[in-house]
Amino acid sequence: MDPLMRSYQMMMMMLFLFAFGLFTEVGSKQAPVPKQNTYRVLAGDSWWGIAKKFKLTPSELALLNGRKESDALYQNELLRISGTGLTAEEVKAQKPKQKPFFPLPSIEKTERPYSDITHLPHKGIEYSHDKSGWVRSSLPGKVINIDYMDGYENYVILEHENGWYSVYANLERVQVTEGQVLSARERIGTLTKNRGLYFQVNQLKNPVNPTLFLQQGT
């Protein structure tokens, strides 16, 4: 295989892994300050007390750890107190320059929600396929990758300003080309017959709840 073609394919694969939350390192001049993701249980702690300390509900805290609120806590055990994605405050601090548009021409119900819980990860939202047959760009951006993956069908990755990336999967037909620059709400492709849109958003390497993303901007 031609060396230039091999380098190109490797670059495209890295971009794909990056956008789907599998690529773990991104070059950056300034490393972000790590946030606290775990908490070690102290004597006298309760689900309610720990959850209040980290602005969670007891049920959210238990779910993050694959537990129930009725389960006993043990001194010195380590609990997760956040997922892998950005918080609402972090998303707001890096919000896009303009308000993102819903990636479908009609609002659809959520078939499978976003989750960054360790034991039940789902880095995007899968919508139902009731009213919308085609997909549109949420923000202006450049098409950086088009490919196929089992479980996601054809997919398209867009790169936006300020380190934002969006992924559109479960496509039957792709109607854009790599390198093409799109306006917001421009048509990307059509959906497969039996699946709704899978929509994922990343801020650099960090997965972001698409619902939070769609609430941002001016």
Side-chain angles (χ1 to χ4, degrees), residues 102-146:
F102 194 72
L104 296 163
S106 301
I107 300 298
E108 298 280 7
K109 295 180 294 184
T110 296
E111 198 72 29
R112 187 179 176 193
Y114 170 88
S115 171
D116 62 1
I117 297 171
T118 307
H119 66 282
L120 191 65
H122 192 244
K123 301 300 184 184
I125 288 179
E126 186 164 334
Y127 296 103
S128 62
H129 189 179
D130 295 328
K131 297 171 283 186
S132 304
W134 56 279
V135 176
R136 63 186 188 178
S137 54
S138 184
L139 285 174
K142 182 179 180 180
V143 180
I144 61 169
N145 198 20
I146 299 172

Side-chain angles (χ1 to χ4, degrees), residues 15 18 23 26 45 63 68 72 94 98 128 133 144-145 174-175 182 186 193 203 209:
L15 286 169
F18 166 81
F23 199 67
V26 174
D45 272 339
L63 188 58
K68 298 178 182 178
Q94 303 173 73
Q98 69 179 70
S128 62
I144 61 169
N145 198 20
V174 174
Q175 295 171 296
L182 304 180
E186 193 164 343
K193 294 180 180 179
Q203 166 49 229
N209 186 333

